[in-house]
Amino acid sequence: MESFKNKALIWWKHVSLILEPYLGSGPLAAFFLGISSGFPFALIGATLTTRLAQDGISKSSVTAFALTFLAYNFKPLWAPIVDNTSLPFLAKYGQRRSWLWFVSLLLICAIVALGIADPSQALTMVAISALAVGLFGATLDIIIDAYRIELLEPNQLGVGSGMSQYGWRIGAASAGAFALLIAQNYGWSVAYIASIIFVLPAVFVGVIFGEPVRNIERSDTATRFQGLFEYFSPLLEFVRRQGAWLVLFFILIHKVGDTLANLTLRLLFDDLGFTNEEIAFYDVGFGFIAFLLGIFLGGLLFAGLGMKRSVFISLVLMAVSNFSFAALALVGKSNLGMAAAVGFENFASGIGGVTVVAYLSALCNLRFTATQYALLSALASIAGRVLTGTLAGGLIVEVGYVNFYLLTTIMAVPGVLLFWYMIQKGLADLKPEGESKF
């Protein structure tokens, strides 16, 4: 018995050492900030698609709402304003907290407006409200990223970023499931208004942790032209590299098929007759578990096979995952089929979430890491979102779900083949001069 207690104590000490970095105040703050960062994305994505479909809105109109996501793609354009402009009416609380609370209030107002607007009577008001949620959600992302980075100690950045990603996924999944379940019993207006509770974690982080220590040297009028050049210099540095345009083209097209498929899934589920509870359980709950498993395997693949081969495998898996939804559309309503399709898609996305994100990160010049990553990640999804918003609904009506998801599978193939070509030609490991290739 004594031996068992000693072993248990030793085991607990090892677990404590592993968990200790994650339980620090900074990483925990990053986790809760991530929750608030993720939930607006869910409310204008899958949740809004389900609501519009259940209200009988045409497929072309429903998929047009994918354009509301473009605020997340273009947020680097107004990030410098948020970064360098103070709000005088809240100045005493600090720059980061004042922006955090002000934008959180605007986001709450936009979500309430989106909940109150009736799609069957005032679709234009729904569109305006959704655009506002996208704009304020993307702006909140800017503030949260800055707050998190400035709050964490340098040795906590890795753990804090991971905690932020977990918080983002949990916030998005929880808000999506919460809204579905509330809507089933009390209606969509109540569901949206109740979802504003997910903004509270970030608000309370600002209250509890205070203003992070910052040191900003503001530019005066004489240096504004220089500041403008510095703003564009990260992009200029990237495109000057040999083979940069081919890499940028790959980033632009590699997720087109995957984005088209993901932004239309709720239309498929609604037309197949799945209830809100079934969607919440399989698409949100079961999918979340599969996503976490994919992240775990993605880390193993990355460590065991290296970056390029693990990225190639994840691209193949993400392409094949689109085929699984064509199979589901062919079979019809099946809880087992939905679990298999959603599970495989999220599993593949989890692997890609590790390998592809690592690849995009490795492409960045260490002098411009934040700006170049923001630009590359924005480029990675913009084409799919534009095509979804302009073409997806009409394509589904014209060719049907089975052929549509087969088409998204085919559209993923060029990205796979292009990356294989880049590997063979030594262009996949594009790096600036002075930095080692991967």
Side-chain angles (χ1 to χ4, degrees), residues 99-116:
W99 273 101
L100 176 66
W101 294 336
F102 179 62
V103 174
S104 294
L105 177 61
L106 294 178
L107 179 60
I108 288 172
C109 294
I111 292 172
V112 170
L114 183 58
I116 293 174

Side-chain angles (χ1 to χ4, degrees), residues 156-430:
Q156 294 178 318
L157 287 175
V159 171
S161 296
M163 291 289 280
S164 176
Q165 288 300 307
Y166 277 116
W168 193 99
R169 187 69 184 190
I170 289 173
S174 300
F178 178 79
L180 285 169
L181 296 175
I182 294 293
Q184 186 70 30
N185 297 297
Y186 302 102
W188 282 108
S189 294
V190 175
Y192 266 84
I193 294 172
S195 295
I196 64 176
I197 64 171
F198 288 95
V199 81
L200 297 181
V203 172
F204 287 138
V205 165
V207 172
I208 295 169
F209 289 87
E211 183 73 2
V213 178
R214 315 178 64 231
N215 181 20
I216 294 180
E217 295 180 5
R218 300 190 179 277
S219 300
D220 56 24
T221 305
T223 61
R224 284 179 183 174
F225 181 78
Q226 180 183 352
L228 184 64
F229 175 78
E230 290 175 353
Y231 181 79
F232 288 104
S233 60
L235 179 60
L236 295 175
E237 186 281 328
F238 191 94
V239 299
R240 286 171 180 165
R241 306 180 205 173
Q242 184 180 5
W245 289 107
L246 185 64
V247 174
L248 288 174
F249 182 64
F250 161 74
I251 294 171
L252 180 67
I253 69 169
H254 83 282
K255 282 189 67 176
V256 170
D258 192 57
T259 304
L260 274 168
N262 275 280
L263 292 178
T264 57
L265 289 180
R266 290 296 179 87
L267 286 175
L268 172 65
F269 298 155
D270 183 70
D271 281 356
L272 290 180
F274 288 102
T275 66
N276 284 353
E277 287 92 342
E278 289 170 331
I279 295 173
F281 180 79
Y282 291 106
D283 186 30
V284 181
F286 186 78
F288 177 64
I289 295 172
F291 183 80
L292 294 182
L293 293 174
I295 291 176
F296 177 74
L297 182 60
L300 295 179
L301 286 175
F302 182 83
L305 299 179
M307 184 175 294
K308 287 177 284 188
R309 283 189 288 179
S310 62
V311 169
F312 181 77
I313 291 173
S314 68
L315 292 174
V316 173
L317 290 174
M318 286 190 290
V320 174
S321 70
N322 292 352
F323 181 79
S324 67
F325 290 108
L328 177 62
L330 183 64
V331 170
K333 183 180 180 182
S334 164
N335 287 344
L336 180 60
M338 186 183 189
V342 167
F344 183 63
E345 192 279 329
N346 278 275
F347 182 70
S349 294
I351 294 174
V354 173
T355 61
V356 177
V357 168
Y359 175 66
L360 296 182
S361 301
L363 291 174
C364 298
N365 188 316
L366 293 178
R367 292 181 296 157
F368 310 115
T369 304
T371 303
Q372 285 188 349
Y373 184 80
L375 293 171
L376 293 177
S377 60
L379 188 66
S381 58
I382 189 171
R385 287 171 180 170
V386 171
L387 288 175
T388 301
T390 56
L391 298 176
L395 278 174
I396 292 172
V397 173
E398 290 294 325
V399 305
Y401 283 110
V402 175
N403 290 329
F404 174 77
Y405 288 113
L406 289 176
L407 178 61
T408 64
T409 304
I410 295 171
M411 293 178 71
V413 172
V416 177
L417 296 179
L418 180 56
F419 192 75
W420 175 257
Y421 173 81
M422 288 161 54
I423 292 175
Q424 300 305 308
K425 297 299 182 180
L427 296 172
D429 49 359
L430 180 71

Side-chain angles (χ1 to χ4, degrees), residues 103-178:
V103 174
S104 294
L105 177 61
L106 294 178
L107 179 60
I108 288 172
C109 294
I111 292 172
V112 170
L114 183 58
I116 293 174
D118 184 353
S120 61
Q121 301 295 326
L123 191 59
T124 300
M125 183 57 64
V126 174
I128 293 172
S129 301
L131 286 170
V133 173
L135 176 63
F136 298 137
T139 306
L140 188 64
D141 261 9
I142 296 169
I143 302 159
I144 282 176
D145 286 340
Y147 189 103
R148 169 178 53 81
I149 291 170
E150 293 169 0
L151 186 66
L152 295 168
E153 298 294 332
N155 63 341
Q156 294 178 318
L157 287 175
V159 171
S161 296
M163 291 289 280
S164 176
Q165 288 300 307
Y166 277 116
W168 193 99
R169 187 69 184 190
I170 289 173
S174 300
F178 178 79

